[in-house]
Amino acid sequence: MSGSDRSGSPQFMASQEYQYGEARRKKTFNDNIHGHITLHRAAVAIIDTPEFQRLRNLKQLGLTYYIYPGASHNRFEHSIGVGHLATEWGRHLIGSRGGPGPDGWSLRNFEPEDRRHLTILQLAGLCHDLGHGPFSHVFEKELLPKLFPGNPQVVKEWHHETMSNKIFDYITSGDSGNDIDLGVLASLDGSDLQLVKALMHGSANPAADYPSAPWLFDIVANKRNGIDVDKFDYLLRDSKMCGVAVQLDQARLMKLSRLDRAKEQVIFKMTEYGNIATGLFGSRAEMHRRVYTHQKVKAVEFMVCEALALAQAPLGLREAVENTADISLYLNLDDSLLPRLQALRLHPHDEHYEAVQQAQELMRQMARRQLYKFVQEVTLTPAARRMYAGMPTAEEVIGYQSSAKFDGVQLRVQDVILCETHIDQGMKEANPMDTVLFYQTRDRDMGDRAFAMQPSDVSNMLGSVYQDKKVRVYSKNRNKTYCAALKYAFEQWANAKLKTQPPGTPWRQSRAQQQQQQQQFALPDAFGSSGRVSWGANCFGGSGPGLPPRGSAAAEIGSAADASGGADGNAAMEHDGVAMVLQLGSQGEQLLQVPSRKRSLTQDMQSASQQQQQQQQHGSQAGRGGGRSSCGFGSQLECDAAAADAAAAVDGRPAKQSKASSGGGRSSSSRGGAGLPGIEEDAAEGR
């Protein structure tokens, strides 16, 4: 019988050879990140199951969609992309195992074992996210602690990787009714399926788990250094969908990688150090900072988790997590939980009626954009981490409130949310680049020998801190006065416990500086209210760097000083980190600028007073002479030169010698700040 006649026979149509050889064949997908990709027929068989199709209803970034409208992509397309990249990278690495030769690197021919490894890699990449719960990482990090507040062991032991392995077993078993035989589809046996699950979970010691090919563990879930196709895909996909640019060039990185034959580990060309350090790990940290831990994203997560915790009984959330015998309950959980919650209608006499009403009200607040209010955050420095371990409680922060400052507002524990966000490069406080190995092609004697590199080998500009920890405070009460009171209490707590102050918004800083300057320059009424405005306009409104602008508090006090009519005294102010000591006397006014890193304003004022007394005792004629301008230094040119010399002292530059219009060629040091003790030392330190 010919092949065509045989393919149409009833016996062949009913055989397994037809079922898995003809009906199930490889498929090509058009992906918006990687273009046209083709997957093995075993992968297609798994994709065409209800368990894998569930990933269509799990958004890749969970609730980030409420802040970034473009973040509507799901785990389904991400999983297909990871499966594709795992196959492509594995194919390249297997080909690179030929090693160096006289004519360059030779490619290795593919053996049956190599093809089996490629199929295993594709299945591991495809199924690595099967176990994710609703709203992705929010489920395990935020919701589970609320569902099991008295049972932390459940939260500690639950991992989406473990659930992925269970769902994979369920898909390939007869219990699911999918009728998938990977032995027929891909010639995989039980040990191969165990390897698929091991690659999905990852291993910190791959040489012990799979000594024949430990490099396979570097592809999908790399626990050695974090360079894997999962990161490649989600960084490219998430950044594109959110409109955030990243520097990752994953195609180049994969192309310039090889397998170290001695260690059976993926190594990279030494020129790719920057592509990995900044393009991969730096982009990961940037996406966490700008997208994954966005202030409003966290506010939405808090509201959704609170609503689901209130309605967990009617929705069956706790039972779906606890009942490990019936995995189908968990498979019913996806992002459709929110529409199901909004559609719940309970009888008023139902015991869960009030809780469901509160949960639905939270959903209505989200729809009206009445989110929990972000109040303030503080970055924990290394010293602050040593000083204060753990998270503060709401009671502790509220203990620093001041009702008198905010119209008697009383903060409540139930309105305060405190959280800690970690932004790192994948290995907490460690540098992941310390575990990456490289090769070079410049020295033929090196061959394919792998070696490590230090940041200083590449650039001195690479940082030495690899993790940021922030403590944030949110308010459920959106009242402005209430939030201001909570912000004040949080800042007082940070100052007392962490010895640091959270950053303020620019307009708040400006207002605080203005109030501080007004208090510092509150002069006695004896100075009067009228004066020569040109004093401040000339000396403070000039073009010299580091000087206050026209109309500032410094200009106002200069005008008031001129109006004093010869009263003696001193005043001081801070402007951009520079201490300005205003020496007021009957012989003229002097503005002395001193870098204030070491010396306090009080010390500067005392030094200025001592200098004035010394000048009077020695009969100094500073500030006198004909042709004086209204600024008190002499001519208009002399005034501008004094401002430039003062700025030069701050910047650490030598002051220019200027001639007085009528003072006999006095140098700028006699009227600037060069004669004040400590100026030269501080200025030299700024060079």
Side-chain angles (χ1 to χ4, degrees), residues 633-639 641 645 656-668 671:
F633 280 98
S635 66
Q636 178 64 43
L637 293 176
E638 217 179 354
C639 178
D645 291 346
K656 297 181 180 179
Q657 301 295 325
S658 59
K659 296 182 179 180
S661 59
S662 60
R666 291 178 294 121
S667 67
S668 61
R671 60 184 181 276

Side-chain angles (χ1 to χ4, degrees), residues 51 75 180 233 250 254 256 288 314-315 359 523 525 582 634 684:
E51 293 77 18
R75 293 278 167 184
I180 295 177
D233 186 88
Q250 126 276 344
M254 292 167 58
L256 298 179
H288 273 270
L315 294 174
L523 297 179
D525 295 337
L582 188 64

Side-chain angles (χ1 to χ4, degrees), residues 467-479:
Q467 185 184 55
D468 271 348
K469 288 186 178 180
K470 297 178 182 291
V471 177
R472 290 177 176 175
V473 59
Y474 289 80
S475 174
K476 297 182 182 180
N477 189 333
R478 294 175 52 85
N479 180 270

Side-chain angles (χ1 to χ4, degrees), residues 475-487:
S475 174
K476 297 182 182 180
N477 189 333
R478 294 175 52 85
N479 180 270
K480 291 185 177 180
T481 305
Y482 191 94
C483 292
L486 180 56
K487 177 181 180 293

Side-chain angles (χ1 to χ4, degrees), residues 72-130:
S72 59
H73 55 300
N74 50 53
R75 293 278 167 184
F76 181 87
E77 54 203 83
H78 165 66
S79 298
I80 291 178
V82 174
H84 162 70
L85 289 180
T87 310
E88 293 300 307
W89 201 11
R91 182 179 291 111
H92 167 77
L93 292 171
I94 291 174
S96 72
R97 297 182 69 178
D103 299 326
W105 281 74
S106 59
L107 297 180
R108 166 179 169 167
N109 294 326
F110 281 72
E111 304 294 338
E113 181 185 12
D114 299 328
R115 302 180 190 279
R116 183 172 59 88
H117 283 163
L118 290 179
T119 304
I120 290 173
L121 283 173
Q122 188 170 107
L123 294 180
L126 187 73
C127 302
H128 78 288
D129 274 350
L130 285 174

Side-chain angles (χ1 to χ4, degrees), residues 166-425:
K166 293 181 179 180
I167 296 177
F168 180 78
D169 286 337
Y170 183 74
I171 291 175
T172 56
S173 67
D175 298 336
S176 62
N178 292 316
D179 193 22
I180 295 177
D181 190 344
L182 294 179
V184 176
L185 286 171
S187 302
L188 301 180
D189 56 20
S191 61
D192 295 328
L193 299 185
Q194 292 298 321
L195 179 58
V196 171
K197 294 191 293 184
L199 295 180
M200 290 161 54
H201 195 279
S203 172
N205 189 12
D209 294 339
Y210 196 69
S212 62
W215 65 272
L216 294 173
F217 288 85
D218 291 348
I219 306 302
V220 177
N222 190 344
K223 296 292 181 65
R224 184 157 25 202
N225 51 41
I227 305 176
D228 51 47
V229 293
D230 183 25
K231 284 188 182 63
F232 293 168
D233 186 88
Y234 79 65
L235 286 177
L236 294 174
R237 197 174 301 274
D238 295 352
S239 62
K240 180 176 182 179
M241 302 306 291
C242 294
V244 178
V246 297
Q247 302 177 6
L248 173 63
D249 188 350
Q250 126 276 344
R252 175 182 173 88
L253 194 59
M254 292 167 58
K255 187 72 173 178
L256 298 179
S257 63
R258 295 174 181 168
L259 279 181
D260 178 58
R261 294 185 295 176
K263 298 183 179 181
E264 285 290 318
Q265 178 179 346
V266 179
I267 59 177
F268 303 89
K269 191 175 181 180
M270 62 181 299
T271 57
E272 296 311 292
Y273 190 100
N275 189 12
I276 300 173
T278 60
L280 179 63
F281 297 129
S283 296
R284 180 187 183 275
E286 186 66 13
M287 287 297 292
H288 273 270
R289 183 176 295 108
R290 296 181 60 182
V291 179
Y292 307 149
T293 62
H294 190 281
Q295 296 169 358
K296 283 187 170 55
V297 169
K298 300 301 295 183
V300 172
E301 292 176 1
F302 294 145
M303 298 183 73
V304 169
C305 290
E306 184 176 341
L308 293 177
L310 287 169
Q312 66 84 20
L315 294 174
L317 300 181
R318 191 175 298 172
E319 181 184 2
V321 175
E322 289 180 320
N323 192 348
T324 57
D326 187 4
I327 199 173
S328 63
L329 295 177
Y330 179 79
L331 291 173
N332 289 328
L333 301 182
D334 53 30
D335 289 359
S336 64
L337 278 178
L338 294 186
R340 288 161 55 187
L341 169 59
Q342 293 172 323
L344 278 177
R345 296 295 182 266
L346 301 182
H347 193 276
H349 296 295
D350 191 290
E351 59 177 333
H352 305 299
Y353 177 79
E354 291 296 333
V356 170
Q357 290 296 311
Q358 296 178 31
Q360 292 176 343
E361 176 58 28
L362 284 172
M363 294 297 96
R364 286 189 287 270
Q365 290 179 15
M366 282 181 52
R368 301 187 188 105
R369 209 61 177 179
Q370 297 171 353
L371 307 179
Y372 290 162
K373 194 72 174 177
F374 168 78
V375 176
Q376 186 58 285
E377 70 178 10
V378 61
T379 301
L380 299 181
T381 63
R385 298 179 198 176
R386 293 190 297 267
M387 193 180 309
Y388 188 89
M391 273 287 295
T393 62
E395 293 86 349
E396 187 177 357
V397 172
I398 289 177
Y400 289 87
Q401 68 176 322
S402 176
S403 301
K405 289 180 176 291
F406 301 96
D407 301 329
V409 170
Q410 292 292 330
L411 302 178
R412 302 188 306 169
V413 173
Q414 57 267 33
D415 292 334
V416 179
I417 300 176
L418 290 158
C419 70
E420 188 177 48
T421 61
H422 295 180
I423 300 175
D424 55 49
Q425 297 189 358

